[in-house]
Amino acid sequence: MRAGGPVRRLAPAVAIVVAAAAAPARAGDVFDAETLDFAARVDLHEWELLPNEHAGRLEIVDTLARRQVRAFYGAASIDGTSPTFSLLEIYFNAGAYLDRPVVRLRDARLQARLRPHMTPEALDRLARTGRVGPVGLLGPAQRGALTAAGRADASAPAWDRLGALREPVRAAAGADRRLARACGRLLGRVEAFLAAEALRLVPPRAPGGPYVADEHLRAILDARGRVPASTAARAERVHEELAALARAWRQRDARSFNELSAGLIARLLEEAPVTRPPRWRRRLERFHNRTYGLTFAWVGFFAAAVLLLAAAAGGGRRRALRAVGMAVFAASTATLAAGVAVRWIISGRGWHLPPLTNQYESVMGVALMAALAGMALELIFRRGAMALVASVVAAVALLCAFFRLGPLQPEIGAPMALLNTSILAWHVSTLMVGYGVIGMSVLVSLAYLSIAAVRRRAPDAPRSAGPDLTARPAGGLLPELDRYNLVLLQLACWLVGIGNILGAYWADRAWGRWWGWDAKETWGLMTFVVYLGVLHARYALPARRRGTWTAALSVFGCAVMGFTWWGVNYVLRGLHSYA
Amino acid sequence: MAHRAHIAAAGTRAAPPALRAASSLWLGLGLLAAIFIYLAVASVWPPPPGKPPGTPSVLYGLWPLKLLIGLLAANVILANIVRVPTGWAHLGAWLGHAGLILLLCGAAVYVEGHVSGAAVAVRDDDGAFGPVERYFLEDTAAMYVGPDRAGAELLQTPLTDRLAAGADRPLQARVASPFDAVTFVARDYLPSAELRCRWRDDGPADVPAARIRLRDGPHVFRRVLCPSCPFAREFNVGAYVVRFVPPGAGKPPEWLIVKDRPEQDLAVVGRTADGGVSVLVIGGDGRRSEHAAEVGRRLVLTLGGRPVELTVEEFLTRAWRVWSAYAAPDGSRPAAVKLRAAVGEWVGWQWVRWEAFVGPAVRTDPAAQRLPLPDGQWARLHFAPESRPLPVPFRIAQAEYVTYPGSTRARDYVCRLTTSATATAKERTLICRLNRPAVIDGLRVYQGSWSPKPEDPRAISFMVSSRPGIGLVGTGALLIVLALPYAFYVKPLLLRRGKGTRR
């Protein structure tokens, strides 16, 4: 325990009062009452901030715990304990949970296939919680052998013992592809449950070396005699300290655990003076974790959209509604910008590499860029329309990020070596602005098409933007929407063009050619071609059809952009694909 | 608006109808749509057989796409001449269209004139990287033939044009031969070949071998043991080794000296004077026992602590191993070429599998094929990309695998290159890293793969390329980037100020 600020100093006293007032801990679905009682007594505050290496980045244990527990359990913590406690309990005591509902099993068909193997207790838990224990997936004979072997401590290579799982689970899938995918996910969750090596806490002795796990220390001890004596001695010391911690944890001896962990953590931090992130950054990371990376800003964008829509619909309080809507929009944009900035800072990548290196970050990037573009355009047009469509785009994008739809994972990792360049920032951020503007234009287009369909007649539209962009055109709402659409399409066309050119410049530096017909390059070019076509089509079409065709082609262009952004990565094969 | 329409109409009125049609906006839009559809189809078209997934389709290189792009360029040029008015207000259209034409011209120069390939540096046993003197051209193919001895020069014969002519025509390409009186002809080609190895007994020289059959528990092995073939000298099961001693080698003392792994049992198959089989077994404990048998008769031996049935099926006197090939059903295998060798009346052939490089890196690659020749020599055969000498050879002075702090994950791959002193270039040091290529005498050198382990590479590959026309491409791109905002935002301002168009 370390002395901290006033809040920290008061914490034990508050804890005593709260503990005295609280009822005795009740057993949860996974943890028993004794474990929950232990969770209330153990101090994991410093554990949460301990640096741990993952995917090339030194993240804090709190981040690891949230990701790891979510990976097998489906939520960031178990039975209301903290994520770090949940992880450490599984890490130190996994053998006790082989038959508890810790692995999420969502697929109903796979559930049905696996039911014949399961015990009545496992079936009951599955029905109640949607989760199973790894042992519950085994046949009776395998289950007996495994339970006999058990998992007494974290030192055992657990996956070897549970390797028998693969066969019955895969057999349950048979030749069904979808079931096979579900099986793969299920086995991945079991593997995450057993991934003790994920705790890479032990810092290097030299500044350039990697953080290692307890498994690695054991390998060093096995190789004693072939490694320097000082290395072996340190490995032995740390390994024994971790073993003592594990013993204290399993005996539910909170006082010993707190004392031992305070000593170990202080030494681990002392031994990594160069590589570990500063304490303020680690605390910022914990704040980021607890606030979902500020992605809850989608609520603000949604509220801003509702207010601005109400203002656009008219009524007596039009000005007031718009002012409030704009204020909420601005506040949400600031919150989102802060979230992106926090993510940038805790990633530790440096100024040259903003958080735009994976799909999750690109979705956040589109939300932010759309909001900023909407704000900039709103400063020109001042009618609330640009802020309205930007709010909707940002809200939808952030909703996807908040609920982690599809492959979106908020993990902050070190980018692969080829992406470690500032050109990425220019290339991707330009395209993100472009995609955000395309999202705005498609909303305007849909509104135009809907209104035109209701009125059954579209007014004449000019070939290109008139001399005064900001002047309200005669003829009412549809000409105004058409003008907004034209402005957004022009901006999108320019930004997509620049983004493609920057991509070619980067490819020239990275791959030795500026163009290679990679799937992403091809579809990026096709997106640009669509928007060039839309803008040129206005010169060829008769005045009465310009607005409608522009809106329709804008919707088509958005679909092409969507495929370029997402579809290419997951459907086609190429240098940008994850397929 | 009306004023601008009037000007445009005035411009087109004077042009002949054909020119007006060729410069029409509808034609340009149609061409853009056709290009869009063509690219969409090409992006989902499967890669050529034998190429890895993600390889761009051949459709991108075919004439229809070039024709569509050419027609679009012509349409843009004609539209500018016939339809786009002059004047500051229309500078954006002129700049954008000029940028597009420049970009397409640059692309044409690039496609026709650029070289692109790969070079490999291999580390020797001392840990130093050898010199890089040649690079291998992308999308080319050549046959390499040379004597099978270290340091021997390989003669290359380009096959690119012959293969590009199409697989439906039989390949008949003379391949340069470094051997007197031996002619080589590349006969057949499979873009995705499944190779199968078998032994024949009609080789050009006396090469003794024995075909054996082993039953070890549930496992049955059939092998040819050929002491003079480096790839078939013995059959090592792990617990025991089986070898063949040809008749000419004599029995004692060679019969007894071949056991170089004391812990394993050794069975040495010999051939007796009457054509029978004699097998000497030397156990891990040093005990020896000799067993007599006949060709085709089973012999039960104790090897590796268990009974093993050994049958010598036949003795070969002119053994050679040939590869036969058939088209891979899923198209996922590399290509192969059949090379025919003729010396006098003897004719031999070998299927040769495609390799990415030829050099020290592939010295132990099983894909490297050998062909025996009548005079006792072996020819070494490679089917690989064409190679060219680098303008200035270079050497890796230092290779650094840079990691993120506290991890083993790569942050950068950095090579310090020293160019060799030649008549054309002084010796100098260059840095080549990811996203930052080194330039050596006009060629750009990029980081490639570090294998087998990036932390301790034995071979480092580099991409090598030139980029003619890049100035035109860059200028064109810049013009497009400047033209679009001019057309979108400056033009309305100029129109507002009344500085319209003037022709």
Side-chain angles (χ1 to χ4, degrees):
Chain A
M1 303 265 215
R2 291 176 53 173
V7 176
R8 294 284 316 284
R9 281 197 290 273
L10 284 173
V14 172
I16 289 167
V17 172
V18 170
R26 283 191 299 178
D29 287 326
V30 179
F31 295 154
D32 56 21
E34 188 192 5
T35 306
L36 294 177
D37 176 56
F38 178 62
R41 288 182 290 124
V42 74
D43 178 13
L44 297 177
H45 189 264
E46 288 302 317
W47 269 93
E48 287 176 354
L49 297 177
L50 203 55
N52 166 78
E53 192 271 331
H54 174 77
R57 188 177 82 86
L58 292 175
E59 63 184 11
I60 58 173
V61 169
D62 181 61
T63 307
L64 165 76
R66 285 169 191 274
R67 183 182 58 249
Q68 196 77 12
V69 175
R70 188 183 290 278
F72 63 85
Y73 189 71
S77 67
I78 301 173
D79 286 344
T81 59
S82 72
T84 304
F85 180 86
S86 304
L87 177 76
L88 290 180
E89 173 62 12
I90 299 296
Y91 175 62
F92 286 131
N93 219 4
Y97 297 97
L98 291 177
D99 207 11
R100 306 298 290 269
V102 286
V103 176
R104 193 172 188 189
L105 176 55
R106 279 200 304 190
D107 192 280
R109 290 177 63 207
L110 188 56
Q111 279 188 17
R113 293 277 180 101
L114 289 170
R115 267 193 190 116
H117 289 300
M118 294 188 184
T119 59
E121 297 82 35
L123 281 173
D124 176 52
R125 285 173 185 151
L126 179 62
R128 270 192 303 116
T129 63
R131 298 182 177 92
V132 290
V135 171
L137 302 170
L138 292 171
Q142 295 156 321
R143 190 180 305 141
L146 183 73
T147 314
R151 185 179 166 178
D153 61 0
S155 64
W159 180 243
D160 291 348
R161 291 184 183 180
L162 277 184
L165 261 181
R166 290 179 187 275
E167 202 181 321
V169 173
R170 288 203 174 133
D176 189 320
R177 275 188 171 186
R178 201 177 68 77
L179 267 184
R181 277 199 298 274
C183 281
R185 284 195 295 272
L186 177 63
L187 288 171
R189 289 198 190 101
V190 176
E191 206 158 353
F193 167 73
L194 297 165
E197 73 280 0
L199 270 177
R200 293 174 191 274
L201 296 169
V202 185
R205 299 185 73 220
Y211 275 58
V212 294
D214 192 28
E215 299 280 336
H216 185 79
L217 299 180
R218 210 172 299 121
I220 291 175
L221 293 177
D222 290 343
R224 204 195 297 258
R226 298 196 298 276
V227 295
S230 60
T231 304
R234 176 176 178 259
E236 186 169 17
R237 176 175 57 76
V238 178
H239 177 63
E240 281 176 2
E241 284 182 272
L242 282 170
L245 269 180
R247 275 195 301 276
W249 185 281
R250 284 188 212 111
Q251 291 162 4
R252 306 298 190 219
D253 184 352
R255 176 176 294 188
S256 297
F257 181 84
N258 291 342
E259 285 172 4
L260 286 169
S261 64
L264 176 66
I265 288 170
R267 267 192 296 284
L268 289 179
L269 291 174
E270 267 173 30
E271 286 173 359
V274 180
T275 49
R276 73 182 153 93
R279 187 175 173 81
W280 66 265
R281 211 163 80 191
R282 286 183 276 135
R283 289 174 70 105
L284 191 63
E285 185 170 344
R286 189 169 58 182
F287 166 78
H288 177 266
N289 292 341
R290 290 178 177 176
T291 55
Y292 300 91
L294 301 180
T295 47
F296 59 74
W298 70 267
V299 178
F301 283 117
F302 185 68
V306 170
L307 288 166
L308 290 169
L309 195 61
R317 295 179 180 172
R318 192 172 180 157
R319 281 174 177 275
L321 280 172
R322 187 188 294 170
V324 175
M326 284 305 299
V328 175
F329 175 64
S332 305
T333 306
T335 307
L336 175 59
V340 172
V342 167
R343 194 176 173 88
W344 194 345
I345 291 166
I346 62 180
S347 71
R349 292 173 192 157
W351 65 269
H352 71 287
L353 206 59
L356 290 169
T357 58
N358 58 34
Q359 286 292 74
Y360 179 89
E361 290 176 347
S362 73
V363 167
M364 279 189 80
V366 163
L368 179 62
M369 297 302 180
L372 292 175
M375 193 160 281
L377 290 169
E378 195 55 49
L379 288 175
I380 298 170
F381 290 98
R382 296 178 182 276
R383 305 219 179 90
M386 292 296 183
L388 170 61
V389 288
S391 293
V392 176
V393 171
V396 170
L398 280 183
L399 260 173
C400 295
F402 186 80
F403 289 107
R404 303 171 186 193
L405 291 189
L408 296 180
Q409 289 302 323
E411 185 177 323
I412 307 174
M416 57 184 285
L418 196 68
L419 303 184
N420 191 16
T421 169
S422 57
I423 310 172
L424 175 133
W426 294 105
H427 167 56
V428 179
S429 58
T430 307
L431 285 173
M432 292 302 103
V433 187
Y435 291 175
V437 172
I438 288 173
M440 292 163 68
S441 81
V442 81
L443 290 174
V444 174
S445 300
L446 288 172
Y448 185 97
L449 290 173
S450 307
I451 295 168
V454 170
R455 294 186 182 174
R456 295 184 180 180
R457 187 174 181 282
D460 288 359
R463 286 173 161 177
S464 62
D468 190 352
L469 282 178
T470 56
R472 180 170 293 205
L477 183 59
L478 282 179
E480 193 168 1
L481 285 176
D482 181 60
R483 175 159 290 185
Y484 291 148
N485 210 4
L486 191 55
V487 169
L488 291 169
L489 290 172
Q490 287 175 341
L491 198 55
C493 180
W494 186 45
L495 291 166
V496 169
I498 293 177
N500 283 344
I501 288 167
L502 285 169
Y505 172 72
W506 187 10
D508 181 48
R509 292 179 70 88
W511 294 326
R513 87 291 184 289
W514 56 271
W515 195 263
W517 294 118
D518 176 62
K520 195 81 161 181
E521 293 170 351
T522 306
W523 277 87
L525 174 65
M526 286 161 67
T527 311
F528 185 55
V529 163
V530 168
Y531 285 96
L532 278 181
V534 175
L535 295 176
H536 281 81
R538 288 184 74 93
Y539 284 87
L541 286 163
R544 185 149 301 168
R545 293 185 186 167
R546 273 179 205 140
T548 311
W549 272 98
T550 303
L553 286 171
S554 165
V555 175
F556 175 69
C558 183
V560 174
M561 178 277 284
F563 190 77
T564 306
W565 186 18
W566 281 81
V568 170
N569 293 8
Y570 297 101
V571 178
L572 303 180
R573 293 281 184 94
L575 292 167
H576 294 77
S577 78
Y578 316 129
Chain B
M1 183 60 59
H3 172 68
R4 198 170 60 236
H6 167 73
I7 293 293
T12 53
R13 203 164 32 228
L19 201 56
R20 281 165 57 193
S23 66
S24 82
L25 195 49
W26 278 113
L27 177 64
L29 288 170
L31 288 168
L32 278 180
I35 289 171
F36 180 91
I37 293 166
Y38 190 99
L39 293 181
V41 172
S43 70
V44 295
W45 203 259
K51 298 282 185 182
T55 306
S57 147
V58 290
L59 295 186
Y60 294 117
L62 297 185
W63 63 267
L65 181 61
K66 293 175 183 169
L67 177 68
L68 287 172
I69 293 174
L71 288 174
L72 180 68
N75 173 261
V76 167
I77 292 169
L78 290 176
N80 257 41
I81 294 169
V82 175
R83 294 173 185 271
V84 181
T86 53
W88 287 109
H90 300 285
L91 186 62
W94 279 95
L95 283 180
H97 291 167
L100 177 68
I101 299 302
L102 278 180
L103 197 150
L104 291 176
C105 290
V109 172
Y110 177 80
V111 168
E112 292 304 316
H114 88 290
V115 291
S116 176
V120 189
V122 180
R123 202 154 66 172
D124 58 24
D125 296 336
D126 300 334
F129 284 94
V132 182
E133 293 166 343
R134 305 186 72 82
Y135 66 102
F136 295 85
L137 291 170
E138 196 176 62
D139 297 329
T140 60
M143 197 71 222
Y144 293 79
V145 180
D148 185 25
R149 59 171 186 269
E153 192 184 347
L154 296 163
L155 285 183
Q156 72 164 308
T157 308
L159 296 177
T160 312
D161 294 340
R162 303 281 190 140
L163 297 180
D168 52 334
R169 293 183 208 169
L171 180 64
Q172 185 77 25
R174 184 79 178 259
V175 172
S177 169
F179 303 96
D180 294 336
V182 184
T183 55
F184 292 97
V185 177
R187 286 293 299 271
D188 291 310
Y189 170 71
L190 282 175
S192 176
E194 196 80 59
L195 294 192
R196 186 187 293 156
C197 163
R198 63 195 172 97
W199 288 81
R200 290 167 62 117
D201 199 14
D202 57 352
D206 289 337
V207 178
R211 190 191 302 278
I212 63 155
R213 181 175 184 275
L214 243 99
R215 177 185 284 277
D216 184 349
H219 307 290
V220 176
F221 308 99
R222 294 187 77 209
R223 291 285 188 280
V224 169
L225 301 176
C226 175
S228 55
C229 308
F231 37 82
R233 282 198 181 118
E234 65 181 25
F235 178 48
N236 189 342
V237 182
Y240 56 89
V241 180
V242 183
R243 286 186 189 155
F244 169 61
V245 176
K251 287 167 80 177
E254 288 83 356
W255 189 250
L256 304 174
I257 60 168
V258 285
K259 191 160 191 277
D260 47 10
R261 284 183 286 258
E263 71 282 0
Q264 287 176 309
D265 290 351
L266 172 68
V268 185
V269 176
R271 189 174 181 184
T272 57
D274 60 353
V277 179
S278 175
V279 181
L280 176 68
V281 176
I282 308 174
D285 55 0
R287 285 187 197 167
R288 292 180 177 79
S289 58
E290 193 165 351
H291 309 266
E294 292 171 10
V295 172
R297 213 184 82 188
R298 278 187 314 182
L299 195 61
V300 180
L301 307 168
T302 302
L303 295 172
R306 52 186 184 261
V308 174
E309 285 180 14
L310 186 148
T311 310
V312 175
E313 294 186 327
E314 70 172 314
F315 288 112
L316 313 178
T317 52
R318 301 172 75 84
W320 64 298
R321 191 176 64 158
V322 297
W323 293 85
S324 53
Y326 56 95
D330 56 355
S332 61
R333 297 285 183 166
V337 151
K338 184 179 181 182
L339 192 70
R340 181 177 175 274
V343 189
E345 292 184 354
W346 184 82
V347 175
W349 53 268
Q350 191 67 285
W351 276 94
V352 189
R353 185 182 288 165
W354 175 259
E355 299 162 82
F357 302 105
V358 176
V362 293
R363 195 182 299 157
T364 56
D365 191 325
Q369 312 295 341
R370 294 173 174 82
L371 185 66
L373 299 174
D375 58 358
Q377 287 195 82
W378 288 76
R380 188 178 169 82
L381 317 170
H382 293 282
F383 177 40
E386 286 175 40
S387 69
R388 279 189 194 171
L390 283 164
V392 182
F394 66 85
R395 186 185 288 272
I396 299 176
Q398 189 188 6
E400 192 184 356
Y401 175 71
V402 185
T403 60
Y404 286 101
S407 89
T408 54
R409 188 161 183 166
R411 190 172 63 177
D412 205 349
Y413 298 81
V414 185
C415 282
R416 200 155 60 84
L417 309 177
T418 53
T419 55
S420 305
T422 64
T424 55
K426 291 178 183 174
E427 183 163 335
R428 60 193 181 116
T429 301
L430 300 160
I431 302 293
C432 176
R433 60 202 313 167
L434 284 178
N435 293 306
R436 204 171 298 173
V439 182
I440 299 178
D441 226 24
L443 278 184
R444 291 160 73 91
V445 177
Y446 302 81
Q447 281 291 346
S449 64
W450 293 30
S451 58
K453 289 189 295 184
E455 313 91 73
D456 183 23
R458 201 176 78 81
I460 293 179
S461 68
F462 296 93
M463 294 172 285
V464 177
S465 72
S466 67
R467 37 179 208 164
I470 193 72
L472 288 174
V473 172
T475 309
L478 185 66
L479 286 182
I480 291 172
V481 168
L482 295 175
L484 289 176
Y486 188 95
F488 296 155
Y489 311 117
V490 179
K491 179 179 161 184
L493 293 178
L494 293 179
L495 290 177
R496 193 198 308 185
R497 289 179 190 173
K499 295 181 183 174
T501 52
R502 210 165 288 129
R503 197 169 174 89

